[in-house]
Amino acid sequence: MSDVTDARLKHGLAQFLLIALLTSLAVTQPLLDLLGQQAEFFVTYGMDRSSLLLFTLGLAIALPLITAVVPRLFAWIRPGLGNVVFQFLQFFLWLLIYLPVASRVGLEGIPALALGGGLAAVCVIAWAAFYSARLMLYYLAPAILVFPLFFLFSSKATEIVLPRPVATVSGQASATVETDVVFIVLDEFPLASLLTPEMEIDRLRYPNFARLADASVWFRGATAPSEITTDSVQVALSGLAFQEVHGALPIHANVPRNLFTLLAPSHEVTALETSTLLCPESTCRRERMAQYRIDFLARFSADLLLVYAHLVVPRPFSENLASISHAWAGFGLRNKSPEEPLTEGRATDNAQLASRIKQQEKWGNRAEEFRQFIDGIRNSGQPQLYYLHSLLPHSQWVYLPDGKTYIFNRERVAFGIRPDDDPQRIYFHEWYKDSHAVNQAWQRHLLQVQFVDRLLGELLDKLSAEGLFDDALVVLMGDHGASFVPGLSRRGADERTLSDIAAVPLLIKFPGSLATG
């Protein structure tokens, strides 16, 4: 009897370790590999060392162990059922491992599923038929510890886990400085979008940009240092050269001397960072967490699932997934309830259409965030730093000038873009040579810029109403531009697209100045 029990225990342990190993290979390793290269994902969510360690333990240890327990739980309910669940779970995990392989060899759709399923079935049969296969996988199980170690100590995430020592910050603002500072970064904003053929701001289309320019110095030759948001914003907020920040995570530990640390001794700081985490926790923790306060876990989980789906789902099925190319995070956000009432400014009062609109908004409601920032501006009598990095007028282009949104076909999110040029949908999309398609994208972009002008007017009105505008330092800049030339790249700069991507608006209203740029 003891020999039989011992054999059963060994068999159960082998099944447990196999499922844990396959979960790690199918889910943990590909996610940690991708996110280790794109650690800005964690920066966007404001994750520090402790939260990143907790995430890693959950994904690399807890998830495989919980998955491995599932067949045991069913076996406890009914012995034969546990083995059925084990076989199904084993097949499904092998399938998840082989689907990306099928995609990499050029298969799509049903052929990709067929190859993945066939290989998965072979592996299930080999496990049952060959002792050597069971023994090999049994001894490979401890390898699940390797993936989190590589992620934590040999990827870009290491900069969060083991940040560089923060040097003493010199040159901080004097406590006697009383100038309010308003710093606005607008995303993917080419200067050409604002201009008339005479190279002046179009006052008819953009009255509020012209209004700000009349009171500001317009730096007409301003250029972005990079087509990558995180690089450009770090340069703007720190004064460092592009070479000093390129490739590094945009976190305070890497750029300790920045706008926030310079003004923290003298100013109250309200900062809504989007793709960076340069404001130290002691200064901006409250504002940062307010961005994701209640639905942090829902947003994070939805993004994580969407990223993983892009890793394993073969084309053309993956084309029905929401894009993950237009932000570092927030692309998995969905409407909380199909019955949620419409907010002011919607194009229709139909709840079902409103739900569809929300499903197309990959970054939540960018207009609402901008207006929440405006609402938070107060004349408190103490010097203030108000910082906003808005995801407008960056694509997706869904806003009309009055703030209403319109529905567009999910498959035409990047209408005019050649999808095969960038299978992972990262940044440097190439336009088709179809001038009509590219022109349509350009017009949709301009409509969205007009909406940004409306929001800017609301911001200027609020500053004036609070008595802050005249004596404040107001900075408005674009982080980089975009090109709308048929057959060329939207974001990849070369000699033909450089002027569109590099030239950005930069308006600075100095305290008390009413200068015309």
Side-chain angles (χ1 to χ4, degrees):
M1 179 66 70
S2 61
D3 291 340
V4 173
T5 302
D6 184 56
R8 287 177 177 173
L9 285 175
K10 288 181 179 179
H11 180 63
L13 179 61
Q15 288 188 349
F16 180 90
L17 291 177
L18 174 66
I19 296 300
L21 175 62
L22 293 182
T23 303
S24 186
L25 291 171
V27 182
T28 303
Q29 189 277 331
L31 271 177
L32 291 184
D33 181 60
L34 177 62
L35 296 178
Q37 300 172 47
Q38 308 290 337
E40 290 84 355
F41 176 79
F42 303 109
V43 173
T44 303
Y45 274 106
M47 295 178 67
D48 55 15
R49 179 194 309 180
S50 58
S51 55
L52 186 63
L53 288 173
L54 186 61
F55 161 77
T56 307
L57 288 174
L59 185 63
I61 305 299
L63 178 63
L65 294 181
I66 291 173
T67 308
V69 166
V70 171
R72 297 295 91 205
L73 293 177
F74 280 93
W76 179 73
I77 297 172
R78 185 176 177 182
L81 186 60
N83 191 57
V84 173
V85 172
F86 166 74
Q87 299 296 347
F88 171 80
L89 196 55
Q90 183 191 173
F91 173 83
F92 181 68
L93 290 172
W94 280 118
L95 178 63
L96 292 179
I97 291 172
Y98 285 121
L99 280 178
V101 176
S103 296
R104 281 196 290 270
V105 299
L107 295 180
E108 298 182 359
I110 299 302
L113 291 174
L115 177 63
L119 292 174
V122 169
C123 290
V124 171
I125 294 171
W127 164 266
F130 301 106
Y131 172 76
S132 57
R134 294 193 296 274
L135 186 65
M136 179 183 68
L137 291 171
Y138 182 87
Y139 284 111
L140 280 177
I144 63 175
L145 300 176
V146 174
F147 304 136
L149 290 177
F150 269 100
F151 171 73
L152 292 173
F153 303 110
S154 205
S155 73
K156 288 184 72 174
T158 306
E159 297 178 45
I160 300 176
V161 180
L162 299 173
R164 295 181 297 187
V166 178
T168 302
V169 178
S170 59
Q172 293 177 320
S174 168
T176 61
V177 173
E178 297 182 354
T179 302
D180 294 298
V181 179
V182 181
F183 199 117
I184 308 296
V185 178
L186 299 174
D187 210 296
E188 197 175 81
F189 193 8
L191 176 62
S193 302
L194 291 178
L195 301 182
T196 65
E198 293 74 34
M199 304 298 289
E200 298 293 336
I201 293 177
D202 189 330
R203 291 178 175 273
L204 181 61
R205 181 174 285 178
Y206 310 115
N208 294 299
F209 279 104
R211 171 184 167 191
L212 177 60
D214 288 342
S216 305
V217 176
W218 173 15
F219 292 84
R220 295 171 180 257
T223 57
S226 171
E227 64 270 55
I228 302 296
T229 293
T230 50
D231 290 343
S232 293
V233 173
Q234 285 186 92
V235 169
L237 296 185
S238 68
L240 295 174
F242 164 77
Q243 294 80 2
E244 296 179 85
V245 301
H246 179 60
L249 277 185
I251 58 178
H252 170 246
N254 289 338
V255 189
R257 189 175 188 272
N258 59 61
L259 175 70
F260 308 113
T261 57
L262 287 173
L263 293 183
S266 58
H267 289 61
E268 286 187 355
V269 179
T270 299
L272 291 179
E273 298 184 73
T274 296
S275 302
T276 60
L277 209 59
L278 300 181
C279 192
E281 206 168 287
S282 59
T283 302
C284 291
R285 181 67 176 177
R286 176 174 55 84
E287 289 78 17
R288 183 185 312 134
M289 292 312 295
Q291 280 188 281
Y292 302 102
R293 53 190 181 276
I294 296 175
D295 54 350
F296 171 89
L297 186 58
R299 289 174 181 244
F300 185 80
S301 301
D303 281 352
L304 205 61
L305 287 172
L306 186 56
V307 169
Y308 182 69
H310 274 281
L311 288 173
V312 297
V313 176
R315 287 185 175 186
F317 310 123
S318 62
E319 294 173 3
N320 293 320
L321 299 171
S323 172
I324 60 174
S325 67
H326 303 287
W328 290 114
F331 26 73
L333 187 62
R334 289 291 181 267
N335 196 21
K336 294 180 181 178
S337 169
E339 303 301 324
E340 183 177 347
L342 286 172
T343 57
E344 182 180 356
R346 292 289 180 184
T348 173
D349 59 359
N350 185 290
Q352 185 176 3
L353 290 182
S355 176
R356 288 177 58 191
I357 290 172
K358 285 296 248 182
Q359 289 178 5
Q360 298 295 334
E361 292 175 2
K362 305 305 185 297
W363 298 354
N365 196 327
R366 293 174 280 173
E368 181 181 350
E369 182 181 64
F370 203 120
R371 285 179 167 136
Q372 286 176 347
F373 172 79
I374 294 172
D375 290 342
I377 294 176
R378 296 285 184 274
N379 189 345
S380 65
Q382 180 176 344
Q384 302 287 326
L385 166 61
Y386 293 107
Y387 173 85
L388 169 66
H389 178 184
S390 173
L391 292 171
L392 288 167
H394 195 297
S395 61
Q396 304 295 339
W397 303 301
V398 297
Y399 287 101
L400 296 173
D402 61 359
K404 295 177 181 178
T405 54
Y406 56 91
I407 295 174
F408 56 95
N409 190 305
R410 180 187 293 268
E411 296 179 0
R412 293 173 62 189
V413 166
F415 182 56
I417 288 288
R418 295 176 58 187
D420 292 337
D421 290 329
D422 190 0
Q424 294 186 346
R425 303 181 183 180
I426 305 299
Y427 274 131
F428 307 110
H429 301 293
E430 182 175 312
W431 294 106
Y432 280 116
K433 293 182 179 181
D434 182 350
S435 60
H436 171 74
V438 180
N439 259 346
Q440 185 183 100
W442 170 243
Q443 294 301 321
R444 290 171 59 195
H445 162 76
L446 292 179
L447 291 173
Q448 193 146 293
V449 175
Q450 285 184 266
F451 177 53
V452 175
D453 181 81
R454 183 188 185 101
L455 293 174
L456 176 61
E458 295 176 16
L459 172 64
L460 298 179
D461 289 344
K462 183 61 180 288
L463 291 173
S464 297
E466 294 290 331
L468 298 174
F469 181 77
D470 290 343
D471 295 323
L473 173 66
V474 181
V475 180
L476 183 144
M477 59 165 280
D479 63 342
H480 55 76
S483 178
F484 293 83
V485 180
L488 301 183
S489 175
R490 181 172 68 95
R491 286 277 296 275
D494 60 21
E495 67 276 6
R496 299 165 295 177
T497 62
L498 182 61
S499 60
D500 295 331
I501 297 170
V504 292
L506 176 58
L507 302 172
I508 300 180
K509 191 208 79 67
F510 293 96
S513 70
L514 294 173
T516 300

